[in-house]
Amino acid sequence: MGKIKAAIIGATGYVGVELLRLLLNHPGVETAAVSSVSFEGKKLSEVYPGFYNIFDRVLCGKDEAIAAGEIIFASLPHGICEPLAKKCLAAGKKFIDFGADFRLVNEEDYKKWYGGEFAEKALHNEAVYGLPELFAEKIKAARLVANPGCYPTSVILGLAPAIGRLGDFPPVIDSKSGVTGAGRGLAQNLHYAECNEAFAPYKIAAHRHLPEIEQELSFLAGREVRVSFTPHLLPINRGIISTIYFTLEKIAGLDEIHALYKDFYKDKTFVRVLEKGETASLKNVRFSNFCDISLHYDAHVNRFIIVSAIDNMVKGAAGQAVQNMNLMFNLPEIEGLGAVPPVF
Amino acid sequence: MGKIKAAIIGATGYVGVELLRLLLNHPGVETAAVSSVSFEGKKLSEVYPGFYNIFDRVLCGKDEAIAAGEIIFASLPHGICEPLAKKCLAAGKKFIDFGADFRLVNEEDYKKWYGGEFAEKALHNEAVYGLPELFAEKIKAARLVANPGCYPTSVILGLAPAIGRLGDFPPVIDSKSGVTGAGRGLAQNLHYAECNEAFAPYKIAAHRHLPEIEQELSFLAGREVRVSFTPHLLPINRGIISTIYFTLEKIAGLDEIHALYKDFYKDKTFVRVLEKGETASLKNVRFSNFCDISLHYDAHVNRFIIVSAIDNMVKGAAGQAVQNMNLMFNLPEIEGLGAVPPVF
Amino acid sequence: MGKIKAAIIGATGYVGVELLRLLLNHPGVETAAVSSVSFEGKKLSEVYPGFYNIFDRVLCGKDEAIAAGEIIFASLPHGICEPLAKKCLAAGKKFIDFGADFRLVNEEDYKKWYGGEFAEKALHNEAVYGLPELFAEKIKAARLVANPGCYPTSVILGLAPAIGRLGDFPPVIDSKSGVTGAGRGLAQNLHYAECNEAFAPYKIAAHRHLPEIEQELSFLAGREVRVSFTPHLLPINRGIISTIYFTLEKIAGLDEIHALYKDFYKDKTFVRVLEKGETASLKNVRFSNFCDISLHYDAHVNRFIIVSAIDNMVKGAAGQAVQNMNLMFNLPEIEGLGAVPPVF
Amino acid sequence: MGKIKAAIIGATGYVGVELLRLLLNHPGVETAAVSSVSFEGKKLSEVYPGFYNIFDRVLCGKDEAIAAGEIIFASLPHGICEPLAKKCLAAGKKFIDFGADFRLVNEEDYKKWYGGEFAEKALHNEAVYGLPELFAEKIKAARLVANPGCYPTSVILGLAPAIGRLGDFPPVIDSKSGVTGAGRGLAQNLHYAECNEAFAPYKIAAHRHLPEIEQELSFLAGREVRVSFTPHLLPINRGIISTIYFTLEKIAGLDEIHALYKDFYKDKTFVRVLEKGETASLKNVRFSNFCDISLHYDAHVNRFIIVSAIDNMVKGAAGQAVQNMNLMFNLPEIEGLGAVPPVF
């Protein structure tokens, strides 16, 4: 079998360029085309000079990218991927969307949180939520994958094993993300002098990843699950930590729940359930596709605390997309994602 | 009236040197002596060269410091302040302890969390918990003040106005602190290359500030209050954000609770209850004695979220101690603490 | 005598808001007006929420600011201050310009480096270069002061004592500046994720501060002095370090040159010539108006190395302007600038 | 041919663990053993938890490491590698030393700068200075390679093409390094709160890399070359920028010198001579084995400025060692070093 021809639409955004890195390092992939609206006609290495002599390809337009690839990755603002996906599928290609357009199942949710409508309902019915640890079989068969949001990835993996046993108390999810999650677009709060030595929550109980989290947790639980969700902006480049507080319906000790998690993820390379006593930390997952999960029990309030750590650019975006691609093309899930990451 | 003669024991720790800065800038204080165990005999400006030509005083021993001051500030490891405080009070001096020795009222708590006993029970009975917004009258009359911990300051101020109306649900307190809170002592996780671009929680449900938080909240509530408390280490120098989730016994809207907070702190210069829609942020309190509090209501889970932000070195330590000193000496609370802080 | 009525035009830029801080902390100044083109009509505390409850004044227009102040500080893009300065002087006010419009004496230099002409030649003749350690007498008598650039301040103070004894070798000046020097305007290279963990020189031998440096050094030397000047961008908020390499016309040892520097600055509060063996460091001057200078001699190539450190926002901009204002109004030079700065 | 069996002595230092990462990612290498004095008997993943489930091997002693490997990498304090190297060579193994023990040819230099003597003169005669772009042929034949220092790598590669044409003026080398260069050992100036937002030079004209730089430049020039060398500590994890100022014996323009550099490095994968007008930057070489070089000419003082950028942990240490290993084992120089690095 030849190499997979992959094309990236939106290759100069932060997720796009991280995906490009992973694809170039992937032994089974040929990067067929990179496309950009803002920089079409320029070399990618003019936008990111670190690619000089590594990848000096000229950025093309969308149509050229679609024509060149067997699989098309789109990292674009939400609201514009329906026609692209339709076109790709009609042409016999596979499509992975980094945006939110195919994540929410319920059109009402999409209207409320993103302000648009579903023009192509069939596509939405077909789209698979691309969290491989939970939905690998569906992903293998999919033509259209909605790559999960970064916060939802950390939260859903953190809660999935226990979701059927949660008590009434809606979990509290306190998440902290590095700045690459906010993307390449300039903003005053991301201006170095203002982001440096600063820290704050934002969009409290109002972040667009909230309905995505609740949709997937509810699906897994088989009942409606609501959560408190507060994202915070960390003055670091990469990584998300979600600290999650929850109770169980019936009392259980740390040993039991830890064993439950260990078992749930026993065949999942990219989820590391840490030993009891260890604490998940951003620095141990940077540049990797791992989701590290540590479990803690606070007896005096009878609550469990889960710490879930990912690299928002890898497991939270580009790495997860490669993992999805591997599944869609019957490659080993780890292919191209197994490089040992730097410690510092 | 002459200037207050102030002496610092433990002047070369991070809190000590921050206190020195505030005292030197205080128009009503004469810094009578600075003492250090590690650097006795050296000039303070040899330890902190930024003080060159500003404050080149030689660091003395404890006894000399006690003799020189009317008020003695001690920034020392816990477990050694009882004899110091006793000596000071016996000599007619006032004493403010930055450590935990006089914060916990219950000896059993102290034993459990700090491993020691109360040798001088009378002193513990006399000691006042130095949170001026709540206990100003007691502080004015005090000879011995236990300066609150940094996390507890952010949490107690954040919850105090609502404490009598809390529901059964133990509040979730997710706190994040800059590294100066960990002090000057070298440690692998504070080594620049390992702390930089990193983030993680630590001592989950096991931090020594937990009993202090619960003690004071319980006192204010008039009943036992338990909380979930998770501290995290931020790769920045200064500041604490506590994100606090709680429910009310009886349903109330944001307007009502916001008004409650505004009223509760209406005469408190150093607590700024932000307008609805605003979010408290570390960068707005750095280098100041402010505690900024913002209120948020998440209707879909019927929870309130409080964001409480302080500078751990000022309102969380040295600034609060100066505020306490002002009260103890009948000075205006703001004296020496009103300088406009830098934005960057 | 009443307080000086000061007005700031361009109060929402980084230099403007730092100046506001210093003026609010200055016992002899009344901040009469703050003006902003971008945010006129808004409160300053809406732009910088840290000023909430501290300074909630509404930002006015230029004319209003000029009318309100006895002294007008202008922190604006270059090329627009001539008419403002003219208007102020005509109205009997004093004017301090943070921009480059009045720094360069030679119109040809201005044309070459800034692309404009001198419309008001009399103003340029009258303007005084506001480096108080060198030109205090002129500043005292001035109505119009050109506040020096940040890099030039660090360099000129670093070389002034030795300037008459330099050898033929044009000094090499390798400077590094924190990002506030680049201002509030958004730019890709100042976007947090791209500036963080990065470092590089820029505008090598082509920075607009080069002619300013050479002009002043030549004036001090009484002959043409040329230099190599390379600025670099540091991923920190504040501070400039200039590392300066030079030779002397006649051989001299470190003792002699160190004594020369000590003597040259013996009455200058804000220049600290460090002891031999010490090295100037950014962290010792942050938030202060100090310029720290250390001297080093490399016998094996017979060169001196000067390290000159300032806070670019204080001694490199707003603090120096306050120092100039003090001189212009016969106040002690240190007034409002003597607060002990934080160590961290 | 089977895989190369590689062993690391000193695997838990920063260079050691970075080397481990590269070796684990190298398709032609089997990591045969990792050794540590401080942590012998522990798993490497206990020291660096990021390696959990990736590499949980137990850290062994030196002798075991030597027995296990065909090639031994030693990352140890200077002064202790002579007996190790001797033992390895006697046992038919190859040896790459990250320390300084075999870098200096002249024993007098070693005595002066490191305070020791050459006990094994034959080893010193045999040792090859492992800068592959300059000494590939010797390295291919070597059993004992002295891996260059990080600063010298950036400087020597930056000056080598022009070295024969330098004028009398000793080059000025102003270098800036990230903190991993200072290693894992705790130190007050590397404590996060003190290193963060700070910057300063250190060991001015007195750094141990100075004699190494001068030795190699003199060798390349065929005459004694002296330089000014000032290292600075950057508050970032990785990377070195050297800004180098020099003159030529005979006048030449930028075009000519740029062409000279392009030609000199035309077959060297890991040296990228940037196009005229571009400037080398740390962020473009992070995590890679590249040395980026940009050339600049300052006509008004008739000087060239070279900016040389490397990742101190890769091209300045572990990557260069792998490159040397590749040469010593007749592998393509790029093997294991070609992964596209992350942009952020």
Side-chain angles (χ1 to χ4, degrees):
Chain A
M1 192 180 89
K3 294 194 173 190
I4 303 166
K5 286 181 182 144
I8 307 172
I9 298 178
T12 56
Y14 285 177
V15 167
V17 78
E18 177 76 351
L19 176 63
L20 175 60
R21 169 176 85 91
L22 295 176
L23 294 178
L24 291 173
N25 289 336
H26 193 298
V29 169
E30 178 197 335
T31 303
V34 285
S35 152
S36 163
V37 171
S38 314
F39 300 102
E40 188 178 342
K42 283 200 164 184
K43 291 181 185 174
L44 184 119
S45 56
E46 291 177 84
V47 184
Y48 290 105
F51 280 86
Y52 181 63
N53 276 9
I54 296 176
F55 188 84
D56 295 301
R57 196 90 57 82
V58 171
L59 293 153
C60 65
K62 285 177 195 174
D63 289 342
E64 194 178 330
I66 292 173
E70 293 169 81
I71 180 163
I72 315 300
F73 296 90
S75 179
L76 296 168
H78 69 86
I80 58 178
C81 272
E82 278 185 330
L84 279 181
K86 190 176 183 187
K87 192 169 183 177
C88 288
L89 266 53
K93 284 122 203 286
K94 298 177 198 283
F95 190 85
I96 296 184
D97 183 19
F98 283 100
D101 288 3
F102 298 105
R103 290 181 196 154
L104 295 184
V105 171
N106 188 324
E107 190 172 354
E108 289 309 306
D109 287 344
Y110 190 75
K111 271 185 199 160
K112 178 181 170 189
W113 290 92
Y114 292 93
E117 300 190 358
F118 286 179
E120 304 286 345
K121 292 191 170 49
L123 286 181
H124 291 274
N125 289 336
E126 179 176 350
V128 172
Y129 191 74
L131 197 46
E133 283 73 16
L134 300 177
F135 308 118
E137 292 313 308
K138 284 189 192 166
I139 295 164
K140 282 181 188 170
R143 300 188 303 166
L144 170 54
V145 164
N147 212 56
C150 49
Y151 287 120
T153 295
S154 75
V155 172
I156 298 164
L157 292 175
L159 277 174
I163 195 71
R165 302 177 58 172
L166 290 192
D168 284 339
F169 165 75
V172 169
I173 298 162
D174 195 280
S175 294
K176 303 89 180 174
S177 172
V179 298
T180 50
R184 193 177 190 270
L186 302 182
Q188 203 67 46
N189 73 317
L190 300 173
H191 198 51
Y192 189 83
E194 310 202 16
C195 184
N196 185 34
E197 297 293 292
F199 179 74
Y202 65 102
K203 291 185 189 163
I204 297 175
H207 192 284
R208 283 167 168 166
H209 284 175
L210 173 59
E212 184 180 337
I213 289 168
E214 292 188 336
Q215 167 184 292
E216 295 302 314
L217 293 181
S218 297
F219 173 80
L220 294 171
R223 62 172 181 89
E224 190 190 14
V225 174
R226 294 187 178 183
V227 302
S228 291
F229 174 57
T230 306
H232 300 68
L233 185 67
L234 280 171
I236 64 176
N237 277 10
R238 284 169 176 260
I240 286 176
I241 287 268
S242 292
T243 311
I244 306 173
Y245 305 79
F246 64 93
T247 57
L248 296 183
E249 202 176 10
K250 292 183 187 169
I251 287 180
L254 183 58
D255 286 351
E256 182 182 343
I257 301 303
H258 188 260
L260 173 73
Y261 272 70
K262 277 283 187 189
D263 185 64
F264 191 91
Y265 288 123
K266 68 175 181 293
D267 299 322
K268 310 301 178 191
T269 305
F270 291 122
V271 177
R272 298 191 294 195
V273 177
L274 303 189
E275 301 307 318
K276 283 172 287 179
E278 299 295 313
T279 302
S281 171
L282 270 198
K283 74 177 156 193
N284 297 333
V285 298
R286 288 174 77 221
F287 306 110
S288 88
N289 200 49
F290 288 115
C291 175
D292 276 9
I293 293 173
S294 65
L295 288 95
H296 314 265
Y297 178 59
D298 182 353
H300 101 300
V301 290
N302 191 26
R303 279 183 190 155
F304 283 88
I305 300 110
I306 296 282
V307 184
S308 173
I310 61 169
D311 184 319
N312 63 305
M313 296 281 275
V314 188
K315 186 60 179 167
Q320 186 139 277
V322 169
Q323 197 181 349
N324 282 321
M325 178 196 72
N326 286 339
L327 290 172
M328 293 161 87
F329 285 84
N330 283 311
L331 291 178
E333 208 172 359
I334 198 179
E335 197 83 1
L337 295 169
V340 178
V343 174
F344 300 105
Chain B
M1 192 180 90
K3 294 192 172 191
I4 302 166
K5 285 181 183 146
I8 308 173
I9 298 178
T12 57
Y14 285 178
V15 167
V17 77
E18 178 75 351
L19 176 63
L20 175 60
R21 169 177 84 92
L22 294 177
L23 293 178
L24 291 173
N25 289 335
H26 194 298
V29 169
E30 177 196 335
T31 303
V34 286
S35 151
S36 163
V37 171
S38 314
F39 300 102
E40 188 178 342
K42 282 199 166 184
K43 290 180 186 173
L44 184 121
S45 55
E46 291 177 85
V47 184
Y48 290 104
F51 280 85
Y52 180 62
N53 276 10
I54 296 177
F55 188 84
D56 295 300
R57 197 89 57 83
V58 172
L59 293 153
C60 65
K62 283 178 198 174
D63 289 343
E64 194 178 331
I66 292 174
E70 293 168 82
I71 180 162
I72 315 300
F73 296 89
S75 179
L76 297 168
H78 69 85
I80 58 178
C81 274
E82 278 185 330
L84 278 182
K86 190 177 183 185
K87 192 169 181 176
C88 288
L89 267 52
K93 284 122 200 287
K94 298 177 197 284
F95 190 85
I96 296 184
D97 183 18
F98 283 99
D101 288 4
F102 298 104
R103 291 182 197 153
L104 296 184
V105 170
N106 187 325
E107 188 172 357
E108 289 309 306
D109 287 343
Y110 190 76
K111 271 185 198 160
K112 178 180 169 190
W113 290 93
Y114 291 92
E117 301 189 358
F118 286 178
E120 304 286 346
K121 290 187 172 51
L123 285 181
H124 292 274
N125 289 336
E126 177 175 352
V128 172
Y129 190 74
L131 198 46
E133 283 74 17
L134 301 177
F135 308 119
E137 292 312 309
K138 283 188 193 168
I139 295 163
K140 284 181 187 171
R143 298 188 304 165
L144 169 55
V145 164
N147 212 55
C150 48
Y151 287 120
T153 295
S154 75
V155 172
I156 298 164
L157 291 176
L159 277 173
I163 195 71
R165 301 178 59 173
L166 290 192
D168 283 341
F169 164 77
V172 169
I173 299 162
D174 195 280
S175 294
K176 304 88 180 174
S177 172
V179 298
T180 50
R184 192 176 190 271
L186 302 182
Q188 204 66 46
N189 73 318
L190 300 174
H191 200 49
Y192 189 84
E194 311 202 16
C195 184
N196 186 33
E197 297 292 293
F199 180 75
Y202 65 102
K203 292 186 187 160
I204 297 174
H207 192 283
R208 283 167 168 167
H209 285 174
L210 173 58
E212 184 181 336
I213 290 169
E214 293 188 335
Q215 166 184 291
E216 295 302 314
L217 293 181
S218 298
F219 172 80
L220 293 171
R223 62 174 181 88
E224 189 189 15
V225 174
R226 294 186 177 183
V227 302
S228 291
F229 174 58
T230 307
H232 299 69
L233 184 65
L234 281 171
I236 63 175
N237 278 10
R238 283 170 177 259
I240 286 176
I241 286 269
S242 292
T243 312
I244 306 173
Y245 305 78
F246 65 93
T247 57
L248 296 182
E249 203 176 7
K250 292 186 187 166
I251 287 180
L254 183 58
D255 286 351
E256 181 182 344
I257 301 304
H258 187 260
L260 173 72
Y261 272 69
K262 277 283 186 187
D263 184 64
F264 191 92
Y265 289 123
K266 67 176 182 290
D267 299 324
K268 310 300 179 190
T269 304
F270 292 122
V271 177
R272 297 190 295 194
V273 177
L274 303 188
E275 302 307 317
K276 284 173 284 179
E278 299 294 313
T279 301
S281 171
L282 270 197
K283 72 177 156 193
N284 297 332
V285 298
R286 289 173 76 220
F287 306 111
S288 87
N289 199 49
F290 288 115
C291 175
D292 276 8
I293 293 174
S294 65
L295 287 96
H296 314 266
Y297 178 58
D298 183 353
H300 102 299
V301 290
N302 191 25
R303 277 182 191 156
F304 283 88
I305 300 109
I306 295 282
V307 183
S308 172
I310 61 169
D311 183 320
N312 63 305
M313 295 281 274
V314 187
K315 185 61 181 167
Q320 186 139 277
V322 169
Q323 196 181 349
N324 283 321
M325 176 196 72
N326 286 339
L327 291 172
M328 294 161 86
F329 284 85
N330 283 312
L331 290 177
E333 211 173 357
I334 199 181
E335 196 84 1
L337 295 169
V340 178
V343 174
F344 301 105
Chain C
M1 192 180 90
K3 293 194 173 190
I4 302 167
K5 286 181 183 144
I8 308 174
I9 298 178
T12 57
Y14 285 177
V15 167
V17 77
E18 177 76 352
L19 176 63
L20 175 60
R21 169 177 84 92
L22 295 176
L23 293 178
L24 291 174
N25 288 336
H26 193 300
V29 169
E30 177 197 335
T31 302
V34 285
S35 150
S36 162
V37 171
S38 314
F39 299 102
E40 189 178 341
K42 282 199 165 185
K43 290 181 184 173
L44 185 120
S45 56
E46 291 177 84
V47 184
Y48 290 104
F51 280 86
Y52 180 63
N53 274 10
I54 296 177
F55 187 84
D56 295 300
R57 196 89 57 85
V58 172
L59 293 153
C60 64
K62 283 177 197 174
D63 289 343
E64 194 178 331
I66 292 174
E70 293 168 82
I71 180 163
I72 315 300
F73 296 89
S75 179
L76 296 168
H78 69 84
I80 57 176
C81 273
E82 278 185 330
L84 279 181
K86 191 178 181 184
K87 192 169 181 176
C88 288
L89 267 54
K93 281 116 200 295
K94 298 177 196 284
F95 190 85
I96 297 183
D97 183 19
F98 282 100
D101 289 4
F102 298 104
R103 291 181 195 154
L104 295 184
V105 170
N106 187 324
E107 189 173 356
E108 289 310 306
D109 288 344
Y110 190 76
K111 273 186 197 159
K112 178 180 170 189
W113 291 92
Y114 292 91
E117 300 189 358
F118 286 178
E120 305 286 345
K121 290 188 171 52
L123 286 181
H124 292 274
N125 289 336
E126 179 176 351
V128 172
Y129 191 74
L131 199 46
E133 283 74 17
L134 301 177
F135 308 118
E137 293 311 310
K138 283 188 194 168
I139 295 164
K140 283 180 189 173
R143 300 189 303 167
L144 170 55
V145 164
N147 212 57
C150 49
Y151 287 120
T153 295
S154 76
V155 172
I156 298 164
L157 292 176
L159 277 173
I163 195 71
R165 301 177 59 172
L166 291 192
D168 283 341
F169 164 76
V172 169
I173 299 162
D174 195 280
S175 294
K176 304 89 179 174
S177 173
V179 297
T180 49
R184 192 175 190 272
L186 302 182
Q188 203 67 47
N189 73 317
L190 300 174
H191 199 49
Y192 189 84
E194 311 203 16
C195 184
N196 185 32
E197 296 294 292
F199 180 75
Y202 66 102
K203 291 187 188 161
I204 298 174
H207 192 283
R208 282 167 168 167
H209 285 175
L210 174 58
E212 184 181 336
I213 291 168
E214 293 188 335
Q215 167 184 292
E216 295 302 314
L217 293 181
S218 298
F219 171 80
L220 294 171
R223 62 173 181 86
E224 190 190 14
V225 174
R226 293 185 178 182
V227 302
S228 292
F229 173 58
T230 306
H232 300 69
L233 185 66
L234 281 171
I236 64 176
N237 278 9
R238 284 169 175 260
I240 286 177
I241 286 269
S242 292
T243 313
I244 307 172
Y245 305 78
F246 65 93
T247 56
L248 297 182
E249 202 176 12
K250 291 184 187 168
I251 288 179
L254 182 58
D255 287 351
E256 181 182 343
I257 301 304
H258 188 260
L260 173 72
Y261 272 70
K262 277 283 188 189
D263 184 63
F264 191 92
Y265 288 122
K266 68 174 179 293
D267 300 323
K268 310 300 178 190
T269 304
F270 291 122
V271 177
R272 298 191 293 195
V273 177
L274 304 187
E275 302 307 316
K276 285 174 283 179
E278 299 295 314
T279 301
S281 171
L282 270 198
K283 75 176 153 195
N284 297 332
V285 298
R286 289 173 77 221
F287 306 109
S288 87
N289 199 47
F290 288 116
C291 175
D292 276 8
I293 294 173
S294 65
L295 287 96
H296 314 266
Y297 178 58
D298 182 353
H300 101 300
V301 290
N302 191 26
R303 277 183 191 156
F304 283 88
I305 300 109
I306 295 282
V307 184
S308 173
I310 62 169
D311 183 318
N312 62 303
M313 295 280 275
V314 188
K315 185 61 181 168
Q320 186 137 276
V322 170
Q323 197 180 348
N324 282 320
M325 177 196 72
N326 286 339
L327 291 172
M328 294 161 86
F329 284 85
N330 283 312
L331 291 177
E333 210 172 357
I334 198 179
E335 196 83 1
L337 295 169
V340 178
V343 173
F344 301 105
Chain D
M1 192 180 88
K3 294 194 172 190
I4 303 166
K5 286 179 184 147
I8 308 173
I9 299 178
T12 56
Y14 284 177
V15 167
V17 78
E18 176 77 350
L19 176 64
L20 175 60
R21 169 177 85 93
L22 294 176
L23 294 178
L24 291 173
N25 289 336
H26 193 299
V29 169
E30 177 196 335
T31 303
V34 285
S35 152
S36 163
V37 172
S38 314
F39 300 102
E40 189 178 342
K42 283 200 164 183
K43 291 181 185 174
L44 184 117
S45 55
E46 291 177 84
V47 184
Y48 290 105
F51 281 86
Y52 180 63
N53 275 10
I54 296 177
F55 188 85
D56 294 301
R57 197 89 57 83
V58 171
L59 293 153
C60 65
K62 284 177 196 173
D63 290 342
E64 193 178 332
I66 293 174
E70 293 168 82
I71 179 163
I72 315 299
F73 296 89
S75 179
L76 296 168
H78 69 85
I80 59 178
C81 272
E82 279 185 328
L84 279 182
K86 191 177 182 185
K87 191 169 182 177
C88 288
L89 266 52
K93 284 116 199 294
K94 298 178 197 285
F95 190 86
I96 297 184
D97 183 18
F98 283 99
D101 288 5
F102 299 105
R103 291 183 195 153
L104 295 183
V105 171
N106 187 323
E107 190 173 355
E108 290 309 307
D109 288 343
Y110 190 77
K111 271 185 199 161
K112 177 181 170 190
W113 290 91
Y114 292 91
E117 300 190 357
F118 286 179
E120 304 286 345
K121 291 189 171 49
L123 285 180
H124 292 274
N125 289 336
E126 179 177 350
V128 172
Y129 191 74
L131 198 47
E133 283 73 17
L134 301 176
F135 308 118
E137 292 313 308
K138 284 188 192 167
I139 295 164
K140 283 180 188 171
R143 300 188 302 166
L144 170 54
V145 164
N147 213 55
C150 49
Y151 288 120
T153 296
S154 75
V155 172
I156 298 164
L157 291 175
L159 277 173
I163 195 72
R165 301 176 60 171
L166 291 191
D168 284 340
F169 165 76
V172 168
I173 298 161
D174 195 279
S175 294
K176 303 89 181 174
S177 173
V179 298
T180 51
R184 192 176 190 273
L186 302 182
Q188 203 67 47
N189 72 318
L190 300 173
H191 199 49
Y192 190 83
E194 311 204 15
C195 185
N196 184 33
E197 297 292 295
F199 179 76
Y202 65 101
K203 291 186 188 162
I204 298 174
H207 192 283
R208 281 165 168 169
H209 285 175
L210 173 59
E212 184 180 337
I213 290 168
E214 292 188 336
Q215 167 184 291
E216 295 303 314
L217 293 180
S218 298
F219 172 80
L220 294 170
R223 62 173 182 87
E224 189 191 14
V225 174
R226 293 186 178 183
V227 302
S228 292
F229 173 58
T230 307
H232 300 68
L233 185 66
L234 280 171
I236 64 176
N237 277 10
R238 283 169 176 261
I240 286 176
I241 287 268
S242 292
T243 311
I244 307 173
Y245 305 78
F246 65 93
T247 57
L248 296 182
E249 201 176 12
K250 291 183 187 170
I251 287 180
L254 182 59
D255 287 351
E256 182 181 345
I257 301 304
H258 187 259
L260 173 73
Y261 272 70
K262 276 283 185 189
D263 184 64
F264 191 92
Y265 288 122
K266 68 175 180 292
D267 299 323
K268 310 301 179 191
T269 304
F270 291 121
V271 177
R272 298 191 293 195
V273 178
L274 303 188
E275 301 308 317
K276 284 173 285 181
E278 298 295 313
T279 301
S281 171
L282 270 199
K283 75 176 154 193
N284 297 332
V285 298
R286 288 174 77 221
F287 306 111
S288 88
N289 200 47
F290 288 115
C291 175
D292 276 7
I293 294 173
S294 66
L295 288 95
H296 314 266
Y297 178 58
D298 182 353
H300 102 299
V301 290
N302 191 25
R303 278 182 190 156
F304 283 88
I305 300 110
I306 296 281
V307 183
S308 173
I310 61 170
D311 184 318
N312 63 304
M313 296 280 275
V314 188
K315 185 60 180 168
Q320 186 139 277
V322 170
Q323 197 182 350
N324 282 321
M325 178 197 71
N326 286 339
L327 291 171
M328 294 161 86
F329 284 85
N330 282 313
L331 291 177
E333 209 173 358
I334 198 180
E335 198 83 2
L337 295 169
V340 177
V343 174
F344 301 106

